[in-house]
């Protein structure tokens, strides 16, 4: 049910084509779609403004119940609507070309009558440029078209073998279909940006839809994971594949912007960028899942993007490898009144020292799996390691991108040690120049001395959020996951227990409880719970890890997707959706549990 015109975030599913992603609510409304790419301005944004955002709605005209699933092994959504007089099945996909590169984006919606008779209404309400630019409606070659600037969408409808009607309304294109048992109808939305619209026949759209189903199934069949919780891991793999921006190989943190971490609050961020923070998790997950093509593409995107700001790293980069992300506010209501609605991300200008460890861990994983880096990349990485030697003593904003002042975050220092340790190891492998390895080793020891002397609380028996504090931070679990220390190290064991006690609540784990420069509270971070599963597995506590994992798997929505956060009191999703880091955490936890002898 929609509250004030908004569906719960939990009720969305995602479909995509390697360029952009649409969110489909359980009531059949596509409430989010950016064109032509996932980081382009939206055409449908009802999820951020129910009145002005725009949508592509399709639902019975009479009261109904719905149930849905992804077709097995695919990112193609199937929703069944049941009314008092009949039932229909809607199959939704962003189609893939049968060959070559598609010049347009296409949403196909197949409607099949299962029983009785069901009247359905549909409407396409495009609102270009994040709802700020009115659509110009008209007809071309007899088809309904809406355009604004360089972007245009066309709508085609076929019902029971015939072309269905599409009327031009007040800012929308509308129609209705009566579907009886055995009937098949089809709706297709085509979109183009600075390209001519392509109008295909019904048979061509049907073939692309069937071909898209076949593509996803073939892709899933090639995945190599056969460990515990296989179905959940493969669903996460499919979710991650939706976040891959195919022209570059980058992976978006999420396909949405400004879904709130607190309803009505200001913690609303644009996640349609690729974060260095996620790189090591991403590369290892892709390799563990048997996705070598995606892994190689992502690694070399990472090398390209980091070259732009060499030797310094940015927190995040554009999906095409660009380094700009100016933060702006949009005149939209925000999800259930959560303002501001932002595009761009001001964290791009922060100093976060942990990202250097993420980069070098990703390179280390890539080399450990049998790959080499070229001499030029090795020289650039050596210069970056030299920078870490120079800057690790400085305070930073930390992995969580706080908007309060910089401090000496302990997890950041741990990751600086990872950076220098991996750089030295890579030099030993001949992947980086050897002449600076001795310095990297000396500075790594200095980093470790700092962490162990100033980043550990004897009173709590735990590493702490920042030097000299008694606060905790769930990101400290990454000390185990990334290899700063062994999983069963006594200090890490104490950190695990302290985090469970102070930041945990059942399966939920909060990031921290201290000051971060923002108003209001946030939900529990789901990735932190999966990090805890992995930390427990690495600590030789597989029974506890499995029990927590089972609880977390029950928190997914009905199609197996997770948002960034969850409200522990209500179970409602919060934050951007679907969230890549959460699904990466699930995959990593399952693999670590299997390697620890579980399952």
């Amino acid at each position: 049910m929609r509250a004030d015109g908004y569906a719960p975030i939990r009720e969305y599913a995602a479909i995509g084509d390697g360029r952009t992603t649409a969110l489909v609510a359980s009531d059949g409304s596509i409430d989010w779609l950016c064109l032509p790419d996932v980081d382009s301005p939206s055409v449908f944004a009802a999820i951020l403004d129910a009145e002005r955002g725009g949508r592509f709605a399709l639902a019975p005209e009479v009261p109904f119940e719905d149930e849905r699933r992804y077709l097995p092994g695919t990112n193609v959504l199937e929703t069944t609507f049941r009314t008092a007089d009949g039932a229909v099945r809607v199959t939704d996909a962003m189609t893939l070309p049968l060959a070559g590169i598609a010049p347009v984006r296409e949403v196909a919606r197949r409607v099949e009558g299962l029983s009785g008779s069901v009247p359905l209404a549909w409407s396409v309400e495009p609102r270009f440029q994040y709802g700020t630019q009115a659509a110009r409606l008209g007809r071309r070659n007899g088809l309904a078209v809406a355009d604004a600037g360089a972007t245009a969408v066309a709508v085609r409808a076929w019902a029971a073998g015939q072309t269905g009607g599409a009327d031009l309304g007040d800012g929308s294109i509308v129609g209705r279909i009566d579907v009886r048992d055995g009937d098949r109808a089809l709706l297709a939305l085509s979109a183009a940006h600075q390209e001519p619209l392509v109008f295909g026949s019904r048979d061509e759209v049907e073939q692309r839809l069937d071909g898209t189903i076949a593509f996803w199934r073939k892709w899933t069949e090639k995945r190599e994971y056969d460990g515990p919780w296989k179905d959940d891991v493969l669903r996460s793999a499919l979710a991650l594949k939706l976040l891959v921006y195919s022209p570059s190989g980058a992976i978006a943190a999420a396909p949405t912007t400004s879904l709130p971490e607190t309803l009505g609050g200001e913690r609303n961020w644009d996640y349609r960028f690729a974060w260095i923070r996620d790189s090591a998790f991403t590369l290892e997950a892709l390799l563990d899942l048997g996705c070598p093509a995606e892994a190689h593409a992502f690694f070399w995107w990472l090398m390209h993007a980091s070259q732009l700001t060499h030797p310094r790293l940015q927190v995040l980069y554009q999906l095409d490898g660009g380094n700009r992300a100016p933060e702006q506010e949009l005149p939209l209501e925000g999800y259930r009144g959560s303002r501001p609605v932002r595009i761009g991300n001001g964290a791009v200008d922060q100093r976060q020292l942990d990202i250097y460890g993420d980069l070098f861990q990703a390179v280390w994983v890539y080399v450990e799996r049998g790959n080499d880096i070229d001499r030029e990349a090795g020289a650039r990485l050596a210069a970056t390691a030299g920078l870490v030697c120079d800057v690790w003593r400085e305070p930073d904003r930390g992995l969580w991108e706080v908007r309060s002042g910089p401090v000496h975050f302990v997890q950041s220092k741990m990751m600086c040690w990872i950076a220098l340790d991996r750089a030295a190891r890579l030099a030993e492998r001949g992947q980086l120049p050897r002449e600076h390895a001795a310095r990297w080793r000396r500075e790594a020891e200095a980093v470790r001395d700092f962490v162990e002397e100033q980043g550990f609380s004897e009173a709590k028996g735990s590493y702490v959020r920042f030097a000299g504090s008694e606060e905790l931070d769930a990101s400290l679990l990454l000390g185990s996951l990334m290899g700063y220390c062994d999983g069963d190290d006594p200090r890490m064991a104490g950190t695990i227990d302290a985090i469970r006690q102070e930041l945990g609540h059942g399966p939920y784990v909060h990031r921290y409880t201290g000051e971060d420069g923002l108003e209001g509270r946030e939900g529990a971070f789901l990735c932190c719970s999966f990090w805890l599963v992995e930390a427990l597995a690495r600590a030789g506590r597989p029974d506890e890890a499995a029990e927590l994992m089972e609880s977390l798997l029950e928190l997914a929505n009905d199609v197996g997707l997770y948002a960034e956060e969850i409200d522990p009191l209500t179970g409602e999703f919060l934050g951007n959706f679907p969230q890549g880091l959460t699904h990466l955490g699930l995959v990593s936890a399952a693999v670590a549990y299997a390697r620890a002898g579980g399952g």
Side-chain angles (χ1 to χ4, degrees):
M1 296 294 292
R2 291 186 176 242
D4 301 324
Y6 294 93
I9 297 172
R10 177 176 283 278
E11 292 189 8
Y12 284 98
I15 56 176
D17 64 357
R19 290 285 297 273
T20 190
T21 302
L23 295 189
V24 189
S26 60
D27 61 7
S29 180
I30 297 177
D31 289 345
W32 179 252
L33 176 62
C34 296
L35 294 171
D37 300 316
V38 69
D39 54 358
S40 300
S42 65
V43 172
F44 303 135
I47 197 170
L48 294 179
D49 194 316
E51 293 295 323
R52 295 179 293 165
R55 59 172 53 84
F56 182 176
L58 170 64
E61 294 181 302
V62 295
F64 62 86
E65 295 181 351
D66 58 79
E67 59 181 300
R68 62 186 181 162
R69 63 169 187 160
Y70 281 114
L71 291 178
T74 80
N75 280 318
V76 175
L77 183 67
E78 180 185 272
T79 304
T80 301
F81 295 116
R82 302 187 186 279
T83 74
D85 297 318
V88 296
R89 179 170 57 223
V90 177
T91 303
D92 286 324
M94 293 203 70
T95 63
L96 304 171
L98 298 177
I101 299 174
V104 300
R105 314 269 73 77
E106 182 178 67
V107 177
R109 316 194 75 177
R110 178 188 286 161
V111 185
E112 299 170 279
L114 302 180
S115 64
S117 178
V118 179
L120 296 102
W122 60 268
S123 65
V124 173
E125 305 165 21
R127 303 290 184 266
F128 295 93
Q129 292 290 327
Y130 300 109
T132 65
Q133 195 167 353
R136 181 176 57 193
L137 303 182
R139 293 188 184 274
R140 298 181 196 172
N141 301 325
L143 298 178
V145 175
D147 65 75
T151 304
V153 297
V155 186
R156 293 159 291 169
W158 296 273
Q162 303 295 323
T163 301
D167 297 322
L168 302 182
D170 183 14
S172 61
I173 304 167
V174 300
R176 62 181 312 279
I177 310 170
D178 289 308
V179 180
R180 296 177 173 81
D181 185 9
D183 284 350
R184 176 181 281 197
L186 182 67
L187 296 171
L189 175 82
S190 296
H193 179 76
Q194 296 180 338
E195 297 277 354
L197 278 166
V198 177
F199 305 108
S201 67
R202 175 173 185 164
D203 286 345
E204 290 171 332
V205 177
E206 293 273 16
Q207 288 172 12
R208 283 194 291 272
L209 179 51
D210 291 336
T212 299
I213 295 170
F215 167 85
W216 285 117
R217 285 179 172 161
K218 185 177 180 180
W219 185 86
T220 304
E221 288 169 0
K222 292 181 178 179
R223 305 290 63 83
E224 297 174 357
Y225 182 81
D226 197 28
W229 307 296
K230 181 176 180 179
D231 290 345
D232 304 283
V233 169
L234 291 179
R235 175 48 55 195
S236 286
L238 283 159
L240 292 168
K241 179 66 171 173
L242 279 179
L243 301 179
V244 175
Y245 181 63
S246 57
S248 70
I251 298 183
T256 55
T257 181
S258 296
L259 294 183
E261 298 174 13
T262 304
L263 286 180
E266 64 173 333
R267 299 170 182 263
N268 317 316
W269 315 110
D270 191 347
Y271 276 15
R272 297 170 301 157
F273 299 91
W275 263 254
I276 298 295
R277 173 200 63 195
D278 300 348
S279 57
F281 277 120
T282 298
L283 195 68
E284 190 149 21
L286 291 172
L287 292 170
D288 287 337
L289 292 168
C291 303
E294 290 86 351
H296 290 303
F298 174 76
F299 180 81
W300 290 109
W301 171 86
L302 184 62
M303 292 296 98
H304 165 75
S306 59
Q307 183 177 6
L308 295 177
T309 54
H310 173 74
R312 179 182 62 86
L313 289 179
Q314 280 190 179
V315 174
L316 56 93
Y317 293 86
Q318 294 169 270
L319 300 179
D320 63 3
N323 64 340
R324 298 188 69 255
E327 192 169 286
Q328 307 171 50
E329 296 183 8
L330 297 175
L332 297 176
E333 179 184 49
Y335 179 80
R336 296 178 63 184
S338 302
R339 289 187 294 270
V341 173
R342 296 181 173 96
I343 56 173
N345 197 306
V348 70
D349 296 320
Q350 288 187 353
R351 171 187 285 134
Q352 294 180 27
L353 298 179
D354 62 291
I355 58 179
Y356 293 96
D358 294 312
L359 173 68
F360 277 92
Q361 178 68 5
V363 176
W364 175 251
V365 168
Y366 189 72
V367 171
E368 277 278 275
R369 300 297 182 94
N371 302 290
D372 293 313
I373 57 176
D374 59 42
R375 181 176 297 180
E376 179 185 354
R380 286 196 289 109
L381 287 166
T384 299
L387 177 67
V388 177
C389 292
D390 296 334
V391 303
W392 74 262
R393 293 175 176 82
E394 300 176 7
D396 74 328
R397 300 294 180 90
L399 175 147
W400 300 126
E401 299 169 1
V402 298
R403 301 269 168 138
S404 52
V407 296
H408 291 284
F409 284 105
V410 173
Q411 189 267 343
S412 293
K413 307 304 185 191
M414 288 178 170
M415 295 306 291
C416 287
W417 182 90
I418 292 287
L420 295 171
D421 175 78
R422 301 304 187 259
R425 293 192 190 192
L426 288 163
E428 292 171 0
R429 293 280 190 95
Q431 299 290 323
L432 269 63
R434 291 185 172 91
E435 57 263 33
H436 303 296
R439 183 193 182 203
W440 300 336
R441 285 290 186 199
R442 287 196 305 272
E443 290 296 329
E445 288 303 313
V447 176
R448 182 172 287 276
D449 289 344
F450 180 93
V451 171
E452 299 304 319
E453 293 171 8
Q454 300 190 46
F456 187 82
S457 166
E458 296 290 348
K460 290 183 180 291
S462 169
Y463 292 108
V464 291
R465 187 181 178 209
F466 55 90
S469 76
E470 291 293 308
E471 297 178 20
L472 298 183
D473 189 320
S475 70
L476 294 164
L477 297 169
L478 297 176
S480 168
L481 276 57
M482 292 294 178
Y484 170 80
C485 59
D486 292 336
D488 60 355
D489 179 271
R491 287 194 164 192
M492 182 52 63
T495 302
I496 291 171
D497 291 337
I499 287 173
R500 295 189 84 177
Q501 180 177 346
E502 292 195 21
L503 300 181
H505 176 71
Y508 307 111
V509 178
H510 288 272
R511 297 188 294 177
Y512 50 81
T513 56
E515 172 62 31
D516 63 6
L518 295 165
E519 296 292 330
R521 296 179 59 83
E522 62 186 18
F525 255 63
L526 285 163
C527 69
C528 296
S529 293
F530 286 112
W531 293 348
L532 180 56
V533 172
E534 183 167 351
L536 288 167
R538 289 173 176 269
R541 299 158 68 173
D543 292 343
E544 294 174 72
E547 181 181 7
L548 177 56
M549 187 74 160
E550 294 288 352
S551 298
L552 293 173
L553 296 179
E554 295 177 0
L555 301 179
N557 75 356
D558 58 323
V559 291
L561 299 181
Y562 294 87
E564 180 180 28
E565 301 182 24
I566 195 166
D567 185 330
L569 299 179
T570 66
E572 286 302 307
F573 281 170
L574 296 168
N576 285 305
F577 173 90
Q579 174 73 7
L581 192 58
T582 305
H583 286 280
L584 286 168
L586 187 157
V587 172
S588 187
V591 171
Y593 177 79
R595 287 176 177 164

